Amino acid sequence: MLIEDYDLEVFTPPCDPGAERFAATARLPTDISEVFPYLNATLRGAVYYQAAQALTWKKGGHNVAFHPYEISTSNVEDRDAAIRELEGLIKLVNRTWEARGEITPDYELHQRPTPMAVYKLLPQTNCKQCGEPTCYTFALKLAASKRKVTDCAPLFEPKQSAKLTALQAIIIEAPAIG
Ligand code: SF4
């Protein structure tokens, strides 16, 4: 197990005094930077800055940052929510570390595609089959890793195959771990 213990800090971000949401950090006794290339390979939408030894990831409404001796998350309701969120992230790190023999590490920096770049590769029919009112709304969520390519059924019609291939090349899909 890579992370066995941590100290928790819950605080209001200094740029947002009076906010009702909090940020939280788990301070770690262990350097976890060796797991970053494996997280980069498996987390959809992760951005790995190898030179800075940092990896960021959007998880639901949380901005998550991994550093060698800490994991931080934003937008938590209270201390209990912070503990739940950070314990989930620690389990993710430990699972990924245990499975590293089956994962090809990825040292590349994958920039998140812009919503407009994603939109241009959608069918642009606003058919609503994905449950979104427009293709652009879907593009916003896909670019933010809140939806999956497979949620747009029309993309899998033969006439959309070129767009689908191009879209899959810019959207990083996550294989399941554990
Ligand atoms: S299912 Fe695809 S084509 Fe239809 S609205 Fe959603 S993104 Fe657009």
Side-chain angles (χ1 to χ4, degrees), residues 16-101:
D16 199 9
E20 293 183 4
R21 309 291 286 190
F22 298 86
T25 296
R27 305 257 177 228
L28 311 172
T30 314
D31 180 349
I32 61 166
S33 54
E34 280 189 54
V35 79
F36 295 170
Y38 299 95
L39 291 172
N40 193 36
T42 53
L43 295 182
R44 182 157 51 108
V47 180
Y48 176 40
Y49 306 93
Q50 188 182 2
Q53 286 297 289
L55 183 134
T56 61
W57 182 43
K58 275 200 184 290
K59 177 176 178 278
H62 308 287
N63 291 314
V64 177
F66 298 89
H67 293 278
Y69 289 96
E70 65 179 48
I71 302 172
S72 302
T73 183
S74 70
N75 200 26
V76 289
E77 287 168 19
D78 52 31
R79 189 178 173 85
D80 287 347
I83 291 171
R84 277 197 306 277
E85 188 62 29
L86 287 169
E87 285 189 342
L89 292 166
I90 286 168
K91 280 183 189 157
L92 171 71
V93 166
N94 283 336
R95 275 205 313 272
T96 305
W97 185 246
E98 301 300 323
R100 67 191 183 283

Side-chain angles (χ1 to χ4, degrees), residues 122-130 132 134-135 138 151-154:
L122 292 174
Q124 300 175 19
T125 58
N126 299 330
C127 73
K128 302 182 176 60
Q129 284 184 56
C130 57
E132 303 296 344
T134 65
C135 290
F138 184 81
D151 293 337
C152 172

Side-chain angles (χ1 to χ4, degrees), residues 152-176:
C152 172
L155 260 179
F156 293 83
E157 293 169 5
K159 65 183 177 188
Q160 302 290 349
S161 63
K163 283 186 168 181
L164 175 61
T165 303
L167 193 57
Q168 285 172 326
I170 64 168
I171 298 287
I172 308 157
E173 298 280 3

